[in-house]
Amino acid sequence: HSLEYLYGNYYMPENAHLDNSLLNHLVLLASDTKIAEKLDIYIWQKDKIDSIKFQTALRNSFSDTIAGVKKEIRANNLVALVSLVVGILVGIIATKVAINNEQLSSVVLIAFWVFIWYSVETYIFDNFKLKLKIRRYRQIMNADIVFLTIKHEKYASKVD
């Protein structure tokens, strides 16, 4: 039982990362605190080596997760830029068409605003949510991890 029971399938020592279920659980637990607050995480351990492995796995897991979110932000920035350029081109076309056909110009002008708004929404609002995720992940990475030592094997089965 002991260590395997406590970490279950959450901890994978062969690649020093935490299982996604545990990552999601830590994020869910941290969501009860404000991002600016210091976070304390309590973990049961069998010996000192477990704490070092867990801290390494926690740091590696959230570093990789943050890198993935940053990649998503970069992709959003590219989408926003392309949408903005397309919107501007549609706007230029709308002004050219306005001279000849007012109804077509109205439709193209609406398309212009749709592209511009999508660009703004992606760049500002979507990226804001992702940046909040990064702040939450850093809060967990920088949390004070308190390791509680198990002294007797019989108590390990009572830990949830």
Side-chain angles (χ1 to χ4, degrees), residues 14-148:
E14 65 274 1
N15 69 358
H17 283 74
L18 299 177
D19 185 72
N20 285 336
S21 299
L22 182 56
L23 289 178
N24 292 336
H25 182 69
L26 290 172
V27 171
L28 181 65
L29 290 175
S31 66
D32 289 340
T33 63
K34 294 180 180 176
I35 290 178
E37 290 179 12
K38 189 69 175 163
L39 186 65
D40 293 326
I41 299 174
Y42 295 90
I43 303 291
W44 291 98
Q45 71 175 359
K46 185 176 179 182
D47 56 42
K48 187 72 171 169
I49 294 171
D50 295 338
S51 63
I52 296 167
K53 288 180 181 179
F54 184 84
Q55 287 175 324
T56 301
L58 180 87
R59 184 160 299 281
N60 290 346
S61 297
F62 278 103
S63 293
D64 291 351
T65 304
I66 288 171
V69 173
K70 285 182 177 179
K71 186 176 179 181
E72 193 174 342
I73 289 172
R74 284 191 300 274
N76 280 353
N77 290 345
L78 180 63
V79 167
L81 180 63
V82 168
S83 178
L84 180 66
V85 168
V86 169
I88 291 171
L89 290 174
V90 168
I92 292 170
I93 292 170
T95 57
K96 299 286 184 190
V97 174
I99 299 169
N100 300 333
N101 187 341
E102 193 174 313
Q103 291 174 339
L104 181 61
S105 173
S106 299
V107 172
V108 175
L109 191 60
I110 291 170
F112 161 75
W113 282 111
V114 168
F115 279 108
I116 298 297
W117 175 250
Y118 182 74
S119 175
V120 169
E121 178 186 18
T122 302
Y123 185 78
I124 295 175
F125 299 114
D126 292 350
N127 284 348
F128 179 75
K129 292 175 193 173
L130 293 173
K131 288 175 183 178
L132 283 177
K133 277 186 177 182
I134 289 174
R135 288 181 63 199
R136 177 68 69 193
Y137 297 155
R138 285 192 177 134
Q139 177 194 30
I140 296 169
M141 279 178 58
N142 297 324
D144 289 332
I145 302 174
V146 179
F147 292 95
L148 306 170

